[in-house]
Amino acid sequence: VHGGGKISHVTMTTDVAVFQGVYEELVSKLISQHELGSRAGDMEIIQQLRDLLSISADQHENMLLALGLSLSSFDHLMTHRRDVAHYQSVLAFALSDAVLDAEELKTLKQYRIEHGISDDEHIAALQSIGWSNEDFQTAIREESRPILEEYRQMVKAVMDTYTVTTERNNYFEQFVKKYGIAETEHFKVLESLGLTQTQFDAHRLLALRTQLREAKDKDIEMDNEIAELEMVLQHSSEKLSATIRLANDLQTDTNQKNRELVDVEHRLLEVREAIQEHDDRIIRARAILKQKVDDIEGSVAETLELEAAANEKAEELLSWQRHVSEIGNRLLTTQNTLTQAANSVAKFDDSVENPVEAVFAKKPVHSAWGLNAEVPLTSRVASDGDQRQFRLFRTACLAVGTSLIVPEDRIYLDIPALFEKVKQQGIPVERWNAFISSTINEMKEERKRNLPKSTLEAGKLLV
């Protein structure tokens, strides 16, 4: 075992008896060598040896009995050694600044009293940290002077009075225990007051006798009070017996009432269940009614929305009716204009001997609006009725083309070809304007699609 308190090396052999002998010898040395007593790790060393040598609890106890120690005595010894080692650490910490204040002194005294630290163990602990007992006593006298002075005044107060109350006696004993007043300090205080321990004890004994006499007087008074209380208790017992009999009678009545109450509670429970069922029906009916109300409100809201939408549509319809009426008026005006133009053309044609050859004998010429209006109809128009319809259709083309075609559009409208389509499709006169407008718009869109999308494409097209 080296100085750190740990097992450093053990040479193992195959003889178990040798192991046990080594363990017994080491335990004996730990118990007998006082220089090891200051170590807090003695128990840990023994436990390490037991684990290393596989010593069972029974073998350990038998070895202790062979050394004259019981297991409890051994544990007490090891615990006391740990307490001594801990006291040495506390003492070293308290004296580390070479000053011992009253609180530290009180702590050290209390620890010594609680753990049974003897004077020899205290002096050995002082020497282990480099202090002598004389230096320690000097430090105690310097720091404990105020406490001893207070204790002196307390002893003087005890001697100046012939009665010591229980409260004062308890305070006196608590003070001695709190500050650890030793017998030597107590004797010094008595000596400073010119008293001996016998005088102090005699005075306290006299005070205790006085207290005992007063206590006996109080006991007599208590006995008298107890006797009175016993009489009252006897009278109360009789009353209690009568009360018990009455209570038994009342208990019988109460049991009967309880049975009746149970029946009433059963009936009440049935009524509550019926009420609950009725309430559930009401709740379900309210839920259904609420759903119906919500549906009605939703229908009303939807009806209002539909009514509002219908009003908006009605207003929109009125607006469209007004707009259509205006368009009708405009169409009527346009139709009148076209009729007048047709009449004028008819008058002009009547004044010409051969109207078809007079108008369409020339080669095709494109007007500013791109209307091919001078193609002969000799091969296309078979009767005078067709010629009259063609003149009306041409007039319509001129009117619609004037409003839709500009020179930049570069659109050439072949009126005879369109007239042939009108005849083939059987389009009535009142729809000619719409047919002409639709044809012109389609030609515009076709031209837009065929236009080049960039300057480069336009140059390529031109080349």
Side-chain angles (χ1 to χ4, degrees), residues 38-288:
S38 61
R39 292 178 183 173
D42 289 354
M43 200 67 182
E44 287 75 8
I45 293 174
I46 293 176
Q47 187 61 46
Q48 290 179 19
L49 287 172
R50 286 184 60 183
D51 296 339
L52 184 63
L53 301 176
S54 300
I55 303 298
S56 65
D58 294 337
Q59 292 173 337
H60 173 68
E61 186 174 2
N62 292 332
M63 291 178 188
L64 291 177
L65 292 175
L67 294 173
L69 285 176
S70 64
L71 182 61
S72 60
S73 301
F74 177 76
D75 293 339
H76 177 72
L77 176 61
M78 293 297 103
T79 302
H80 182 69
R81 287 191 177 185
R82 282 197 296 268
D83 294 339
V84 171
H86 185 257
Y87 176 74
Q88 179 180 341
S89 300
V90 174
L91 189 64
F93 179 78
L95 297 175
S96 60
D97 55 355
V99 176
L100 188 66
D101 57 24
E103 189 66 28
E104 292 173 340
L105 179 61
K106 182 184 84 170
T107 302
L108 292 173
K109 288 183 177 180
Q110 287 180 347
Y111 191 88
R112 286 188 60 184
I113 293 172
E114 291 175 0
H115 296 87
I117 308 298
S118 65
D119 292 339
D120 293 338
E121 291 171 334
H122 168 68
I123 294 173
L126 286 173
Q127 291 175 353
S128 66
I129 61 175
W131 276 65
S132 66
N133 190 33
E134 290 75 12
D135 296 336
F136 183 76
Q137 294 299 327
T138 301
I140 290 177
R141 285 194 295 272
E142 293 296 328
E143 294 298 333
S144 62
R145 186 174 294 128
I147 298 175
L148 293 177
E149 180 61 26
E150 184 177 355
Y151 181 69
R152 182 177 180 278
Q153 295 298 327
M154 187 180 299
V155 173
K156 187 174 182 300
V158 170
M159 297 302 295
D160 289 342
T161 180
Y162 291 99
T163 59
V164 179
T165 62
T166 303
E167 291 78 7
R168 179 176 292 182
N169 185 61
N170 292 336
Y171 178 75
F172 181 81
E173 292 179 355
Q174 290 175 0
F175 186 88
V176 172
K177 184 177 180 180
K178 178 179 179 181
Y179 292 101
I181 304 298
E183 290 184 358
T184 55
E185 295 171 338
H186 173 68
F187 292 150
K188 289 180 181 179
V189 169
L190 291 179
E191 184 179 356
S192 66
L193 293 173
L195 298 173
T196 63
Q197 181 65 31
T198 304
Q199 292 174 335
F200 180 75
D201 293 339
H203 184 79
R204 291 198 68 190
L205 181 60
L206 178 62
L208 291 175
R209 286 177 178 175
T210 303
Q211 289 182 0
L212 181 61
R213 186 168 53 253
E214 292 176 354
K216 288 182 178 179
D217 294 338
K218 288 184 179 180
D219 288 339
I220 294 172
E221 293 178 0
M222 291 293 295
D223 291 339
N224 295 332
E225 291 179 359
I226 290 172
E228 293 177 358
L229 289 174
E230 286 178 351
M231 294 178 61
V232 173
L233 182 60
Q234 180 65 30
H235 182 64
S236 299
S237 298
E238 295 175 356
K239 287 186 177 181
L240 181 60
S241 299
T243 303
I244 290 173
R245 290 192 295 272
L246 180 60
N248 291 332
D249 297 337
L250 291 174
Q251 183 65 35
T252 304
D253 295 339
T254 302
N255 292 335
Q256 181 63 29
K257 296 295 182 182
N258 286 336
R259 287 191 291 272
E260 295 176 358
L261 182 60
V262 169
D263 295 335
V264 172
E265 287 178 350
H266 284 310
R267 278 178 269 176
L268 181 60
L269 181 60
E270 293 175 356
V271 173
R272 286 178 177 173
E273 290 177 353
I275 292 173
Q276 182 64 37
E277 184 178 357
H278 180 67
D279 291 341
D280 293 339
R281 291 178 181 175
I282 292 175
I283 291 172
R284 289 195 294 271
R286 285 179 177 174
I288 294 171

Side-chain angles (χ1 to χ4, degrees), residues 171-444:
Y171 178 75
F172 181 81
E173 292 179 355
Q174 290 175 0
F175 186 88
V176 172
K177 184 177 180 180
K178 178 179 179 181
Y179 292 101
I181 304 298
E183 290 184 358
T184 55
E185 295 171 338
H186 173 68
F187 292 150
K188 289 180 181 179
V189 169
L190 291 179
E191 184 179 356
S192 66
L193 293 173
L195 298 173
T196 63
Q197 181 65 31
T198 304
Q199 292 174 335
F200 180 75
D201 293 339
H203 184 79
R204 291 198 68 190
L205 181 60
L206 178 62
L208 291 175
R209 286 177 178 175
T210 303
Q211 289 182 0
L212 181 61
R213 186 168 53 253
E214 292 176 354
K216 288 182 178 179
D217 294 338
K218 288 184 179 180
D219 288 339
I220 294 172
E221 293 178 0
M222 291 293 295
D223 291 339
N224 295 332
E225 291 179 359
I226 290 172
E228 293 177 358
L229 289 174
E230 286 178 351
M231 294 178 61
V232 173
L233 182 60
Q234 180 65 30
H235 182 64
S236 299
S237 298
E238 295 175 356
K239 287 186 177 181
L240 181 60
S241 299
T243 303
I244 290 173
R245 290 192 295 272
L246 180 60
N248 291 332
D249 297 337
L250 291 174
Q251 183 65 35
T252 304
D253 295 339
T254 302
N255 292 335
Q256 181 63 29
K257 296 295 182 182
N258 286 336
R259 287 191 291 272
E260 295 176 358
L261 182 60
V262 169
D263 295 335
V264 172
E265 287 178 350
H266 284 310
R267 278 178 269 176
L268 181 60
L269 181 60
E270 293 175 356
V271 173
R272 286 178 177 173
E273 290 177 353
I275 292 173
Q276 182 64 37
E277 184 178 357
H278 180 67
D279 291 341
D280 293 339
R281 291 178 181 175
I282 292 175
I283 291 172
R284 289 195 294 271
R286 285 179 177 174
I288 294 171
L289 181 60
K290 185 177 182 301
Q291 183 65 35
K292 295 293 185 183
V293 171
D294 292 340
D295 293 341
I296 292 172
E297 289 179 352
S299 299
V300 171
E302 185 176 356
T303 303
L304 292 176
E305 291 178 359
L306 291 174
E307 185 177 356
N311 292 332
E312 292 179 359
K313 293 295 182 181
E315 292 178 359
E316 185 178 355
L317 182 59
L318 290 175
S319 176
W320 277 104
Q321 286 179 352
R322 289 192 295 269
H323 184 61
V324 169
S325 178
E326 292 177 359
I327 293 174
N329 293 331
R330 292 179 183 177
L331 289 176
L332 183 58
T333 303
T334 304
Q335 187 174 3
N336 293 332
T337 303
L338 291 175
T339 302
Q340 292 175 5
N343 293 331
S344 300
V345 171
K347 290 178 182 180
F348 175 75
D349 290 340
D350 292 337
S351 64
V352 179
E353 184 175 350
N354 191 351
V356 176
E357 294 180 357
V359 177
F360 301 106
K362 301 179 182 179
K363 294 181 180 179
V365 177
H366 299 290
S367 65
W369 301 289
L371 302 177
N372 186 6
E374 298 184 355
V375 178
L377 293 178
T378 304
S379 61
R380 301 185 184 183
V381 182
S383 63
D384 294 338
D386 289 341
Q387 292 182 4
R388 186 176 297 276
Q389 283 188 351
F390 176 76
R391 287 195 293 269
L392 292 175
F393 182 75
R394 182 187 59 187
T395 303
C397 288
L398 291 173
V400 175
T402 303
S403 61
L404 295 179
I405 300 174
V406 295
E408 290 79 5
D409 291 334
R410 300 181 64 83
I411 294 175
Y412 302 99
L413 190 63
D414 191 352
I415 295 176
L418 288 180
F419 182 69
E420 291 296 329
K421 287 184 180 181
V422 167
K423 288 176 62 179
Q424 292 174 2
Q425 296 178 10
I427 299 174
V429 176
E430 58 271 15
R431 295 181 57 189
W432 283 358
N433 292 338
F435 174 75
I436 297 168
S437 300
S438 175
T439 303
I440 293 173
N441 291 329
E442 290 177 359
M443 294 175 69
K444 284 185 175 183

